[in-house]
Structure formats: structure tokens, C-alpha cells
Amino acid sequence: MFYSKLFGKTKKEIKNYDSISHKLLTQAGFIDQIASGIFEYLPLGKIVLSKIETIIRKEMNTIDAQEVLMPSLHPKILWEKTNRWNSVDVLFKIKSQWANEYALAPTHEETITPLAKKFIKSYKDLPLALYHITAKFRDEKRAKSGILRGREFGMKDLYSFHKDKKDLENYYQKVIKAYLKIFKKCGLKEIKITEASGGSFTKKFSHEFNVITPAGEVNLIYCEKCEFAQNEEIANNNVCPKCKNNLKKNKAIEVGNIFDLGTRFCEAFDLKFIDKDGKEKYPVMGCYGIGTTRLMGTIVEINNDEKGIIWPENIAPYKIHLIGLDLKDKNIRQNSYNLYKKLTEKNIEVLFDNREDVSAGEKFNDADLIGIPIRLIISKKTGDKIEYKKRNNKEIKIISFDELINKI
Ligand SMILES: [Zn+2]
């Protein structure tokens, strides 16, 4: 990709931001805010989001979940059946000009359960796990922190149906492992899992996946040596019950949560199956969410410095940020475009800053702000070699093309 042609350029400064990720993602040209809590994803942002979704899809498919796509527009009657039309305080309600009322879905139990009902007849149809990745809506009084807490946001939600509690618990453990893999691949090394009650969504047990950061809004008591963590309100420990280390307290962002829904929704929609013993039973259900856009924001909260974003390799918009300097010189120009061509022919993702009317300093600042893992420079100084630098490392090396290919 030529930076000169990329839609969404960096900005010198921005006003009115309320988290680091909001500031950096806007300034670097990944997102753009339409109104409080409503964002657009520009090409760089869309690539990152798609990479996060690809990582999630792979792990979902590995635990035998199948992808579907359900609508955001839910007829009111579905939410009345589960008694949630009036009990979910952030439910977005809209009225059609033809008098029908709808919810803009913040979650999808109200559509997945009647859908599953059409296909689940016997124990042989279980277990069943379906997921999708779509926009979700929350009618927040005050949206804040950029894409960390939007009115419209991206989410992967998975729902599973089981013949009994034991089968659900087995699957639930598989999802925990899959989630930890997903977060690790996305560059979040430290995830703290808390066990909590799930508020208006469920009365059963649930787990939350938290990332420690000052931008968070949950107060977490946690152990630095192991994965132990608790929400502040319910915590009653000063030392870790697992490894006796002293506990710490900090803010955290919740990037994922999983619930045991029991039979609540299957009962509401009268979804039953015939078990081996010939009796009709309600399946036991689990629900598992990851906020995809919130995850993207959290990754930036964790991975940045005073100059900009430092993307983890797996989800960076491009692998290489190639900078051509002195491009008015014919030889250098040719070297730069040749290198770009050779790399892209090897299917290596390159963002090539080929602008001729921009200073070297400005290009370096932009590269640091955008945060692509590897920066390459072709200039008068480098001759037929290439300057190589990693975004998260100060060391600069002058290397040949072959050495570069070996490195990447
Ligand atoms: Zn511990």
C-alpha cells in the first residue's frame, strides 16, 4: 500500500479524547468519531479489526463452533418473551414508522434460542455451538473512552447448547482455554480471570477476562505471580489464596466474559429435546462474548509509548513500514520502489511511505505513531542496503535484502 494513496492520514494533534487509545487511534488514522460512542474504522483500523476477527474465528472453529450471522434488529416480542424488554437498562429501543417496535441488540440470546429450536430435536443434535461477529448496541447515557465503551461496538458472541450441566462445564473450560489463546495471539500477555455474578444477564456463574490498565473501569484485586483475581466489591483477601503473594489493586478493562445461562432462555422459548431416556428436557446453555472493538482499544492502551502505538505483530495493519527518503533522486526512487515490489511479491504486507513532499522527520514521526512492527529506510545513506529498525527497539541495523528476508 502506498501511504500517499492511503485513505486516512495522521493528524498533528487532536482535541477531546478521553483515553490513550482514543487519542492514538484517531491521530494515527485508524478510527474517526462521528458522535459520542459512535466510530468509523478507516482502512488501517479495518485491517486490524479484521485480523483480530480472524484470530477469534480460528479458535472458535477449533472448539467446533460454527459461524452464523444474526440480525441486529430484533422484534420487541422476542425480548418480551425473556422479560428483558424492560429489565435491560441499556437496551436500545426503536420504533418503526409503521408502529412496530424493535430492539437494537446488545446480545443475541433472543434470536439464537428460537433459531436453535428449529433444529434441535433430540440429544443427538447436542451439543451445538454457534457464534457470530456483529455490531452490538448499548443505549449508554454517557459513552466514554473512545472505542473502549461505545454505543455501537463490535462483538463476537458464542452460544452453546448442551444435554446437561456436565457437558456445558466441559465446553466452558474449552472456551476459557480458547479465549486465553486468542488474547495471547492478540499481544495481551497478562489476562486476569475473575469469577463474578452476571448482573441482569444471568443468575448463574460467570467469568470475566480482564486486562490491567489505568484506562479500565473495573477495580481489580489480583496476584502478580499467578492468574488469581477478584473484583474489589467481593474481594476479602490481602494475600493470594493460591500462592500467598501479596495482592495488588488496579483498574482493569473487561475484554471478554462467559456465562452459564442454565435453562432460562430455553424455557422462555420452550426449546426442548428428547433425551436418551425418551424424556423431554431443556438444554443447558452457555454464552461467551469478546468485544472485538474494545479488544482493539485495549491492545493500544497496553502497547504504546510517548511516540505512538506499538502493534503486536499478529494484528499490526502491515508487517513493514517502508520509508523512502530523498525520493527525488532517481536511483533512490528506483531502489525504494524495487524493494516494495520484491517484498509484496513475497506476500509481505508493506506500507510504503512514498510521499515526496514530506520531510524525513515527519515520516519518522508518522511511522512511530502508526506503530507498524518493522521500519525500513531507503535513502542516500543506505546505498544498495536497507536500514532496519523495530518499532519496539532502538537498535538500527544496515542490512542487505537477503538478510532482511532471513529476518522476516
Ligand atoms: Zn497468586
Side-chain angles (χ1 to χ4, degrees), residues 118-141:
K118 291 175 185 167
F119 298 94
I120 294 175
K121 302 296 172 199
S122 99
Y123 67 93
K124 289 176 191 162
D125 301 318
L126 298 171
L128 172 68
L130 301 171
Y131 74 99
H132 70 163
I133 302 175
T134 55
K136 297 282 187 291
F137 300 85
R138 287 172 65 92
D139 197 0
E140 302 275 3
K141 194 170 184 188

Side-chain angles (χ1 to χ4, degrees), residues 78 81-82 108-119 161 265 269 271 285:
L78 296 176
K81 278 208 164 155
T82 58
H108 277 74
E109 286 86 355
E110 273 76 2
T111 53
I112 197 84
T113 317
L115 174 66
K117 185 183 171 170
K118 291 175 185 167
F119 298 94
F161 298 85
F265 292 93
F269 288 99
L271 159 54
M285 204 174 153

Side-chain angles (χ1 to χ4, degrees), residues 234-345:
I234 57 161
N236 48 17
N237 295 299
N238 292 320
V239 290
C240 176
K242 289 193 176 169
C243 68
K244 307 295 171 205
N245 192 35
N246 280 338
L247 294 176
K248 286 192 80 169
K249 182 181 138 182
N250 263 311
K251 296 265 183 209
I253 299 177
E254 184 192 310
V255 287
N257 52 32
I258 59 180
F259 301 98
D260 155 24
L261 297 173
T263 55
R264 180 194 189 301
F265 292 93
C266 293
E267 283 179 47
F269 288 99
D270 197 35
L271 159 54
K272 288 178 189 156
F273 70 99
I274 310 280
D275 206 354
K276 251 182 189 162
D277 56 13
K279 286 182 182 155
E280 274 197 329
K281 291 174 189 168
Y282 292 116
V284 185
M285 204 174 153
C287 157
Y288 320 82
I290 291 179
T292 51
T293 47
R294 172 182 281 199
L295 181 55
M296 177 172 160
T298 305
I299 291 162
V300 175
E301 291 291 336
I302 300 290
N303 299 286
N304 68 75
D305 62 13
E306 69 287 350
K307 292 176 176 170
I309 304 168
I310 305 171
W311 287 108
E313 206 161 305
N314 287 340
I315 58 155
Y318 291 90
K319 192 175 177 71
I320 286 175
H321 192 127
L322 170 61
I323 295 178
L325 299 180
D326 318 309
L327 287 176
K328 283 171 184 159
D329 180 307
K330 211 176 160 188
N331 280 338
I332 298 169
R333 201 183 143 82
Q334 204 168 23
N335 282 347
S336 311
Y337 279 83
N338 275 347
L339 177 59
Y340 174 73
K341 191 162 172 266
K342 283 200 290 194
L343 289 170
T344 47
E345 277 170 0

Side-chain angles (χ1 to χ4, degrees), residues 81-290:
K81 278 208 164 155
T82 58
N83 288 320
R84 296 210 289 183
W85 181 259
N86 290 317
S87 67
V88 175
D89 56 352
V90 292
L91 190 64
F92 239 113
K93 298 167 184 175
I94 54 170
K95 204 166 188 173
S96 149
Q97 60 174 321
W98 315 113
N100 294 328
E101 279 188 274
Y102 298 89
L104 284 178
T107 179
H108 277 74
E109 286 86 355
E110 273 76 2
T111 53
I112 197 84
T113 317
L115 174 66
K117 185 183 171 170
K118 291 175 185 167
F119 298 94
I120 294 175
K121 302 296 172 199
S122 99
Y123 67 93
K124 289 176 191 162
D125 301 318
L126 298 171
L128 172 68
L130 301 171
Y131 74 99
H132 70 163
I133 302 175
T134 55
K136 297 282 187 291
F137 300 85
R138 287 172 65 92
D139 197 0
E140 302 275 3
K141 194 170 184 188
R142 269 192 74 238
K144 55 181 178 178
S145 306
I147 59 170
L148 295 177
R149 194 169 189 86
R151 291 199 163 91
E152 176 174 346
F153 53 95
M155 192 168 167
K156 183 284 301 173
D157 38 334
L158 160 70
Y159 304 89
S160 68
F161 298 85
H162 306 268
K163 64 177 170 30
D164 55 32
K165 193 101 180 171
K166 192 164 177 272
D167 198 55
L168 165 70
E169 279 170 14
N170 284 339
Y171 194 71
Y172 196 93
Q173 292 305 322
K174 278 190 196 172
V175 177
I176 291 181
K177 282 186 190 147
Y179 269 34
L180 291 174
K181 268 191 206 166
I182 288 166
F183 296 132
K184 196 174 174 191
K185 282 186 182 173
C186 288
L188 295 172
K189 286 171 202 120
E190 265 199 85
I191 296 289
K192 299 292 177 190
I193 304 179
T194 53
E195 199 175 321
S197 61
S200 65
F201 283 86
T202 172
K203 284 173 190 154
K204 313 276 176 177
F205 65 85
S206 71
H207 289 81
E208 291 163 350
F209 296 76
N210 301 281
V211 177
I212 306 292
T213 159
E217 43 186 26
V218 185
N219 283 314
L220 212 66
I221 307 281
Y222 63 99
C223 177
E224 280 186 305
K225 287 200 175 153
C226 73
E227 74 292 342
F228 178 80
Q230 272 184 329
N231 278 315
E232 194 189 16
E233 312 92 75
I234 57 161
N236 48 17
N237 295 299
N238 292 320
V239 290
C240 176
K242 289 193 176 169
C243 68
K244 307 295 171 205
N245 192 35
N246 280 338
L247 294 176
K248 286 192 80 169
K249 182 181 138 182
N250 263 311
K251 296 265 183 209
I253 299 177
E254 184 192 310
V255 287
N257 52 32
I258 59 180
F259 301 98
D260 155 24
L261 297 173
T263 55
R264 180 194 189 301
F265 292 93
C266 293
E267 283 179 47
F269 288 99
D270 197 35
L271 159 54
K272 288 178 189 156
F273 70 99
I274 310 280
D275 206 354
K276 251 182 189 162
D277 56 13
K279 286 182 182 155
E280 274 197 329
K281 291 174 189 168
Y282 292 116
V284 185
M285 204 174 153
C287 157
Y288 320 82
I290 291 179

